[in-house]
Amino acid sequence: MKNAESLLTAFSAFFKEKMPVFIKTVNDENSDGLELDDFYDAVIFGEHCRTLPFVAVRLEQAELTEKDRIIENEVYTLELELNFQETSAKSERKKLRYARAVCLFFEEYEFCDLWQRAKITEFKKNSVFVRVEM
């Protein structure tokens, strides 16, 4: 049976370690002077990070699906919130580029044992939200 805390920690560490490659790829694809920064931290369980950009990982829900009840396997849903700071003129382009980097990350590790599905769910002012089912 999976443990929520260990999954959050493992996912956060994996995301923080692997994401710089995809941020660099997106930066290389675009040569207009707008550079994405690597995330300073991936925080969990309501911790706060004062340095932008950072990723906040939260446990959204845990449930047993019909077949998972038999083998006592919980399905966890995480929410990633990618936070960055930017002026309003560049904010939209930056959001889309971070979203592109996240898509590249999940495409590359599509068959990773850490999650089943991931999708971008929402864009807010200076944040991109991603839902991850584990």
Side-chain angles (χ1 to χ4, degrees), residues 2 7 11 59-61 63 65 68 74-80 106 110 112-119 121 130-134:
K2 298 183 255 184
L7 278 175
F11 180 83
L59 179 63
E60 195 172 87
Q61 69 183 23
E63 64 182 16
T65 61
D68 291 325
E74 285 185 288
V75 176
Y76 296 97
T77 303
L78 305 181
E79 181 182 67
L80 274 71
F106 283 111
E110 180 179 1
C112 179
D113 291 340
L114 282 175
W115 61 83
Q116 297 172 8
R117 269 179 239 119
K119 67 178 179 177
T121 58
V130 181
R131 183 181 174 99
V132 181
E133 292 180 16
M134 306 180 87

mmCIF file of all heavy atoms in Angstrom, residues 2 7 11 59-61 63 65 68 74-80 106 110 112-119 121 130-134:
data_model
loop_
_atom_site.group_PDB
_atom_site.id
_atom_site.type_symbol
_atom_site.label_atom_id
_atom_site.label_comp_id
_atom_site.label_asym_id
_atom_site.label_seq_id
_atom_site.Cartn_x
_atom_site.Cartn_y
_atom_site.Cartn_z
ATOM 1 N N LYS A 2 0.480 2.234 -0.780
ATOM 2 C CA LYS A 2 1.243 3.465 -0.898
ATOM 3 C C LYS A 2 1.024 4.341 0.327
ATOM 4 O O LYS A 2 -0.024 4.342 0.925
ATOM 5 C CB LYS A 2 0.819 4.245 -2.139
ATOM 6 C CG LYS A 2 1.058 3.540 -3.436
ATOM 7 C CD LYS A 2 0.662 4.430 -4.582
ATOM 8 C CE LYS A 2 -0.637 3.963 -5.173
ATOM 9 N NZ LYS A 2 -1.064 4.690 -6.345
ATOM 10 N N LEU A 7 4.910 9.362 -1.113
ATOM 11 C CA LEU A 7 4.632 9.677 -2.510
ATOM 12 C C LEU A 7 4.848 11.161 -2.799
ATOM 13 O O LEU A 7 5.435 11.520 -3.820
ATOM 14 C CB LEU A 7 3.196 9.309 -2.874
ATOM 15 C CG LEU A 7 2.951 7.854 -3.220
ATOM 16 C CD1 LEU A 7 1.467 7.621 -3.434
ATOM 17 C CD2 LEU A 7 3.722 7.447 -4.442
ATOM 18 N N PHE A 11 7.671 12.312 -5.384
ATOM 19 C CA PHE A 11 7.272 13.050 -6.571
ATOM 20 C C PHE A 11 7.921 14.429 -6.598
ATOM 21 O O PHE A 11 8.431 14.863 -7.628
ATOM 22 C CB PHE A 11 5.749 13.184 -6.667
ATOM 23 C CG PHE A 11 5.335 13.935 -7.894
ATOM 24 C CD1 PHE A 11 5.235 13.278 -9.103
ATOM 25 C CD2 PHE A 11 5.105 15.301 -7.850
ATOM 26 C CE1 PHE A 11 4.891 13.978 -10.257
ATOM 27 C CE2 PHE A 11 4.762 15.998 -8.984
ATOM 28 C CZ PHE A 11 4.654 15.335 -10.193
ATOM 29 N N LEU A 59 -1.600 17.234 -1.549
ATOM 30 C CA LEU A 59 -2.457 16.059 -1.690
ATOM 31 C C LEU A 59 -3.882 16.572 -1.790
ATOM 32 O O LEU A 59 -4.391 17.213 -0.873
ATOM 33 C CB LEU A 59 -2.311 15.124 -0.491
ATOM 34 C CG LEU A 59 -3.175 13.873 -0.521
ATOM 35 C CD1 LEU A 59 -2.793 12.982 -1.701
ATOM 36 C CD2 LEU A 59 -3.044 13.119 0.780
ATOM 37 N N GLU A 60 -4.509 16.334 -2.925
ATOM 38 C CA GLU A 60 -5.873 16.818 -3.146
ATOM 39 C C GLU A 60 -6.892 15.827 -2.610
ATOM 40 O O GLU A 60 -7.865 16.209 -1.984
ATOM 41 C CB GLU A 60 -6.077 17.060 -4.642
ATOM 42 C CG GLU A 60 -7.277 17.875 -4.970
ATOM 43 C CD GLU A 60 -7.304 18.223 -6.434
ATOM 44 O OE1 GLU A 60 -7.837 17.419 -7.217
ATOM 45 O OE2 GLU A 60 -6.789 19.294 -6.793
ATOM 46 N N GLN A 61 -6.679 14.537 -2.879
ATOM 47 C CA GLN A 61 -7.597 13.516 -2.374
ATOM 48 C C GLN A 61 -6.949 12.143 -2.454
ATOM 49 O O GLN A 61 -5.981 11.940 -3.162
ATOM 50 C CB GLN A 61 -8.910 13.510 -3.150
ATOM 51 C CG GLN A 61 -8.804 13.035 -4.583
ATOM 52 C CD GLN A 61 -10.135 13.135 -5.315
ATOM 53 O OE1 GLN A 61 -11.003 13.900 -4.940
ATOM 54 N NE2 GLN A 61 -10.288 12.349 -6.358
ATOM 55 N N GLU A 63 -8.462 8.060 -2.635
ATOM 56 C CA GLU A 63 -9.673 7.235 -2.713
ATOM 57 C C GLU A 63 -9.332 5.843 -3.201
ATOM 58 O O GLU A 63 -8.293 5.612 -3.809
ATOM 59 C CB GLU A 63 -10.711 7.877 -3.628
ATOM 60 C CG GLU A 63 -10.276 7.980 -5.065
ATOM 61 C CD GLU A 63 -11.306 8.669 -5.960
ATOM 62 O OE1 GLU A 63 -12.220 9.329 -5.457
ATOM 63 O OE2 GLU A 63 -11.159 8.525 -7.174
ATOM 64 N N THR A 65 -10.543 3.015 -5.743
ATOM 65 C CA THR A 65 -11.427 2.709 -6.862
ATOM 66 C C THR A 65 -12.001 1.317 -6.629
ATOM 67 O O THR A 65 -11.552 0.585 -5.744
ATOM 68 C CB THR A 65 -10.669 2.740 -8.205
ATOM 69 O OG1 THR A 65 -9.653 1.748 -8.172
ATOM 70 C CG2 THR A 65 -10.061 4.108 -8.462
ATOM 71 N N ASP A 68 -9.438 -1.318 -6.815
ATOM 72 C CA ASP A 68 -8.384 -1.082 -5.837
ATOM 73 C C ASP A 68 -8.823 -1.439 -4.418
ATOM 74 O O ASP A 68 -7.989 -1.700 -3.558
ATOM 75 C CB ASP A 68 -7.931 0.378 -5.884
ATOM 76 C CG ASP A 68 -7.195 0.701 -7.170
ATOM 77 O OD1 ASP A 68 -6.483 -0.191 -7.655
ATOM 78 O OD2 ASP A 68 -7.335 1.820 -7.672
ATOM 79 N N GLU A 74 -4.765 2.621 -2.556
ATOM 80 C CA GLU A 74 -5.369 3.938 -2.679
ATOM 81 C C GLU A 74 -4.829 4.664 -3.906
ATOM 82 O O GLU A 74 -3.663 4.517 -4.265
ATOM 83 C CB GLU A 74 -5.064 4.792 -1.447
ATOM 84 C CG GLU A 74 -5.868 4.399 -0.239
ATOM 85 C CD GLU A 74 -5.633 5.331 0.912
ATOM 86 O OE1 GLU A 74 -4.543 5.270 1.492
ATOM 87 O OE2 GLU A 74 -6.548 6.106 1.231
ATOM 88 N N VAL A 75 -5.696 5.460 -4.531
ATOM 89 C CA VAL A 75 -5.305 6.302 -5.647
ATOM 90 C C VAL A 75 -5.250 7.729 -5.116
ATOM 91 O O VAL A 75 -6.228 8.246 -4.585
ATOM 92 C CB VAL A 75 -6.319 6.206 -6.817
ATOM 93 C CG1 VAL A 75 -5.947 7.166 -7.922
ATOM 94 C CG2 VAL A 75 -6.386 4.773 -7.324
ATOM 95 N N TYR A 76 -4.096 8.345 -5.226
ATOM 96 C CA TYR A 76 -3.889 9.704 -4.730
ATOM 97 C C TYR A 76 -3.954 10.689 -5.886
ATOM 98 O O TYR A 76 -3.484 10.404 -6.982
ATOM 99 C CB TYR A 76 -2.532 9.834 -4.042
ATOM 100 C CG TYR A 76 -2.406 8.994 -2.803
ATOM 101 C CD1 TYR A 76 -1.798 7.746 -2.836
ATOM 102 C CD2 TYR A 76 -2.899 9.450 -1.589
ATOM 103 C CE1 TYR A 76 -1.686 6.978 -1.698
ATOM 104 C CE2 TYR A 76 -2.791 8.685 -0.440
ATOM 105 C CZ TYR A 76 -2.184 7.453 -0.508
ATOM 106 O OH TYR A 76 -2.081 6.694 0.623
ATOM 107 N N THR A 77 -4.513 11.848 -5.609
ATOM 108 C CA THR A 77 -4.518 12.929 -6.581
ATOM 109 C C THR A 77 -3.744 14.100 -5.977
ATOM 110 O O THR A 77 -4.063 14.552 -4.873
ATOM 111 C CB THR A 77 -5.951 13.376 -6.926
ATOM 112 O OG1 THR A 77 -6.668 12.240 -7.405
ATOM 113 C CG2 THR A 77 -5.934 14.442 -8.000
ATOM 114 N N LEU A 78 -2.733 14.526 -6.697
ATOM 115 C CA LEU A 78 -1.919 15.650 -6.253
ATOM 116 C C LEU A 78 -2.225 16.856 -7.111
ATOM 117 O O LEU A 78 -2.605 16.732 -8.268
ATOM 118 C CB LEU A 78 -0.429 15.336 -6.407
ATOM 119 C CG LEU A 78 0.118 14.093 -5.741
ATOM 120 C CD1 LEU A 78 1.615 13.986 -6.006
ATOM 121 C CD2 LEU A 78 -0.153 14.110 -4.256
ATOM 122 N N GLU A 79 -2.014 18.019 -6.536
ATOM 123 C CA GLU A 79 -2.093 19.247 -7.307
ATOM 124 C C GLU A 79 -0.738 19.931 -7.222
ATOM 125 O O GLU A 79 -0.198 20.115 -6.141
ATOM 126 C CB GLU A 79 -3.168 20.179 -6.758
ATOM 127 C CG GLU A 79 -3.271 21.456 -7.561
ATOM 128 C CD GLU A 79 -4.301 22.407 -7.009
ATOM 129 O OE1 GLU A 79 -4.093 22.921 -5.896
ATOM 130 O OE2 GLU A 79 -5.299 22.622 -7.699
ATOM 131 N N LEU A 80 -0.197 20.248 -8.388
ATOM 132 C CA LEU A 80 1.037 21.019 -8.459
ATOM 133 C C LEU A 80 0.669 22.445 -8.794
ATOM 134 O O LEU A 80 -0.121 22.683 -9.708
ATOM 135 C CB LEU A 80 1.939 20.514 -9.598
ATOM 136 C CG LEU A 80 2.876 19.370 -9.322
ATOM 137 C CD1 LEU A 80 2.088 18.105 -9.159
ATOM 138 C CD2 LEU A 80 3.845 19.245 -10.447
ATOM 139 N N PHE A 106 6.011 15.449 -18.512
ATOM 140 C CA PHE A 106 5.093 14.321 -18.392
ATOM 141 C C PHE A 106 5.105 13.434 -19.637
ATOM 142 O O PHE A 106 4.857 12.237 -19.534
ATOM 143 C CB PHE A 106 3.680 14.792 -18.057
ATOM 144 C CG PHE A 106 3.529 15.181 -16.608
ATOM 145 C CD1 PHE A 106 3.328 16.499 -16.248
ATOM 146 C CD2 PHE A 106 3.605 14.227 -15.616
ATOM 147 C CE1 PHE A 106 3.197 16.859 -14.914
ATOM 148 C CE2 PHE A 106 3.486 14.571 -14.279
ATOM 149 C CZ PHE A 106 3.283 15.895 -13.924
ATOM 150 N N GLU A 110 6.194 9.434 -19.288
ATOM 151 C CA GLU A 110 4.823 8.937 -19.405
ATOM 152 C C GLU A 110 4.631 7.587 -18.716
ATOM 153 O O GLU A 110 3.592 7.309 -18.133
ATOM 154 C CB GLU A 110 4.455 8.815 -20.888
ATOM 155 C CG GLU A 110 3.065 8.325 -21.127
ATOM 156 C CD GLU A 110 2.731 8.239 -22.615
ATOM 157 O OE1 GLU A 110 3.591 8.536 -23.457
ATOM 158 O OE2 GLU A 110 1.599 7.862 -22.917
ATOM 159 N N CYS A 112 6.337 6.375 -16.164
ATOM 160 C CA CYS A 112 6.981 6.392 -14.853
ATOM 161 C C CYS A 112 6.084 5.687 -13.835
ATOM 162 O O CYS A 112 4.856 5.751 -13.919
ATOM 163 C CB CYS A 112 7.223 7.846 -14.437
ATOM 164 S SG CYS A 112 7.995 8.013 -12.832
ATOM 165 N N ASP A 113 6.682 5.036 -12.879
ATOM 166 C CA ASP A 113 5.923 4.314 -11.858
ATOM 167 C C ASP A 113 5.292 5.230 -10.811
ATOM 168 O O ASP A 113 4.488 4.783 -10.000
ATOM 169 C CB ASP A 113 6.823 3.312 -11.135
ATOM 170 C CG ASP A 113 7.235 2.161 -12.035
ATOM 171 O OD1 ASP A 113 6.549 1.926 -13.052
ATOM 172 O OD2 ASP A 113 8.236 1.504 -11.725
ATOM 173 N N LEU A 114 5.638 6.501 -10.808
ATOM 174 C CA LEU A 114 5.141 7.406 -9.778
ATOM 175 C C LEU A 114 3.703 7.874 -10.005
ATOM 176 O O LEU A 114 3.016 8.221 -9.064
ATOM 177 C CB LEU A 114 6.041 8.645 -9.664
ATOM 178 C CG LEU A 114 7.347 8.459 -8.904
ATOM 179 C CD1 LEU A 114 8.193 9.719 -8.985
ATOM 180 C CD2 LEU A 114 7.071 8.115 -7.450
ATOM 181 N N TRP A 115 3.226 7.939 -11.243
ATOM 182 C CA TRP A 115 1.872 8.436 -11.492
ATOM 183 C C TRP A 115 1.202 7.691 -12.628
ATOM 184 O O TRP A 115 1.840 7.015 -13.416
ATOM 185 C CB TRP A 115 1.863 9.942 -11.791
ATOM 186 C CG TRP A 115 2.647 10.314 -13.001
ATOM 187 C CD1 TRP A 115 2.232 10.274 -14.303
ATOM 188 C CD2 TRP A 115 3.989 10.763 -13.046
ATOM 189 N NE1 TRP A 115 3.236 10.671 -15.139
ATOM 190 C CE2 TRP A 115 4.332 10.981 -14.388
ATOM 191 C CE3 TRP A 115 4.950 11.002 -12.068
ATOM 192 C CZ2 TRP A 115 5.586 11.430 -14.782
ATOM 193 C CZ3 TRP A 115 6.190 11.451 -12.462
ATOM 194 C CH2 TRP A 115 6.489 11.655 -13.805
ATOM 195 N N GLN A 116 -0.123 7.860 -12.707
ATOM 196 C CA GLN A 116 -0.921 7.242 -13.766
ATOM 197 C C GLN A 116 -1.283 8.257 -14.842
ATOM 198 O O GLN A 116 -1.215 7.969 -16.024
ATOM 199 C CB GLN A 116 -2.212 6.657 -13.183
ATOM 200 C CG GLN A 116 -1.978 5.552 -12.197
ATOM 201 C CD GLN A 116 -3.266 5.140 -11.516
ATOM 202 O OE1 GLN A 116 -4.359 5.571 -11.862
ATOM 203 N NE2 GLN A 116 -3.142 4.291 -10.509
ATOM 204 N N ARG A 117 -1.734 9.447 -14.417
ATOM 205 C CA ARG A 117 -2.169 10.500 -15.344
ATOM 206 C C ARG A 117 -1.786 11.858 -14.810
ATOM 207 O O ARG A 117 -1.721 12.050 -13.601
ATOM 208 C CB ARG A 117 -3.704 10.485 -15.451
ATOM 209 C CG ARG A 117 -4.227 9.631 -16.531
ATOM 210 C CD ARG A 117 -5.754 9.654 -16.535
ATOM 211 N NE ARG A 117 -6.130 8.266 -16.342
ATOM 212 C CZ ARG A 117 -6.825 7.774 -15.336
ATOM 213 N NH1 ARG A 117 -7.309 8.533 -14.434
ATOM 214 N NH2 ARG A 117 -7.075 6.499 -15.242
ATOM 215 N N ALA A 118 -1.614 12.792 -15.736
ATOM 216 C CA ALA A 118 -1.365 14.181 -15.349
ATOM 217 C C ALA A 118 -1.973 15.093 -16.397
ATOM 218 O O ALA A 118 -1.966 14.769 -17.583
ATOM 219 C CB ALA A 118 0.131 14.434 -15.238
ATOM 220 N N LYS A 119 -2.517 16.222 -15.945
ATOM 221 C CA LYS A 119 -3.039 17.194 -16.899
ATOM 222 C C LYS A 119 -3.013 18.582 -16.281
ATOM 223 O O LYS A 119 -3.164 18.748 -15.063
ATOM 224 C CB LYS A 119 -4.449 16.838 -17.356
ATOM 225 C CG LYS A 119 -5.515 16.930 -16.289
ATOM 226 C CD LYS A 119 -6.873 16.600 -16.869
ATOM 227 C CE LYS A 119 -7.935 16.683 -15.770
ATOM 228 N NZ LYS A 119 -9.252 16.444 -16.283
ATOM 229 N N THR A 121 -4.711 21.854 -15.389
ATOM 230 C CA THR A 121 -6.121 22.101 -15.113
ATOM 231 C C THR A 121 -6.500 23.572 -15.103
ATOM 232 O O THR A 121 -7.657 23.905 -15.332
ATOM 233 C CB THR A 121 -6.523 21.495 -13.758
ATOM 234 O OG1 THR A 121 -5.697 22.062 -12.736
ATOM 235 C CG2 THR A 121 -6.390 19.987 -13.776
ATOM 236 N N VAL A 130 -1.475 21.812 -12.086
ATOM 237 C CA VAL A 130 -1.420 20.499 -12.732
ATOM 238 C C VAL A 130 -2.003 19.483 -11.769
ATOM 239 O O VAL A 130 -1.668 19.467 -10.573
ATOM 240 C CB VAL A 130 0.043 20.105 -13.074
ATOM 241 C CG1 VAL A 130 0.085 18.760 -13.763
ATOM 242 C CG2 VAL A 130 0.724 21.181 -13.904
ATOM 243 N N ARG A 131 -2.876 18.615 -12.265
ATOM 244 C CA ARG A 131 -3.478 17.543 -11.474
ATOM 245 C C ARG A 131 -2.776 16.236 -11.846
ATOM 246 O O ARG A 131 -2.689 15.889 -13.024
ATOM 247 C CB ARG A 131 -4.966 17.462 -11.782
ATOM 248 C CG ARG A 131 -5.717 16.455 -10.983
ATOM 249 C CD ARG A 131 -7.185 16.477 -11.426
ATOM 250 N NE ARG A 131 -7.930 15.446 -10.786
ATOM 251 C CZ ARG A 131 -8.693 15.622 -9.721
ATOM 252 N NH1 ARG A 131 -8.815 16.802 -9.187
ATOM 253 N NH2 ARG A 131 -9.366 14.603 -9.199
ATOM 254 N N VAL A 132 -2.297 15.520 -10.827
ATOM 255 C CA VAL A 132 -1.554 14.278 -11.040
ATOM 256 C C VAL A 132 -2.231 13.162 -10.264
ATOM 257 O O VAL A 132 -2.428 13.293 -9.059
ATOM 258 C CB VAL A 132 -0.084 14.420 -10.548
ATOM 259 C CG1 VAL A 132 0.682 13.130 -10.794
ATOM 260 C CG2 VAL A 132 0.604 15.596 -11.235
ATOM 261 N N GLU A 133 -2.619 12.102 -10.966
ATOM 262 C CA GLU A 133 -3.193 10.929 -10.310
ATOM 263 C C GLU A 133 -2.113 9.885 -10.148
ATOM 264 O O GLU A 133 -1.435 9.537 -11.096
ATOM 265 C CB GLU A 133 -4.352 10.379 -11.134
ATOM 266 C CG GLU A 133 -5.543 11.295 -11.174
ATOM 267 C CD GLU A 133 -6.683 10.751 -11.993
ATOM 268 O OE1 GLU A 133 -6.696 9.534 -12.295
ATOM 269 O OE2 GLU A 133 -7.561 11.551 -12.361
ATOM 270 N N MET A 134 -1.996 9.380 -8.933
ATOM 271 C CA MET A 134 -0.942 8.426 -8.613
ATOM 272 C C MET A 134 -1.537 7.105 -8.172
ATOM 273 O O MET A 134 -2.544 7.039 -7.573
ATOM 274 C CB MET A 134 -0.051 8.976 -7.514
ATOM 275 C CG MET A 134 0.492 10.342 -7.867
ATOM 276 S SD MET A 134 1.532 11.023 -6.598
ATOM 277 C CE MET A 134 3.093 10.332 -7.076
#
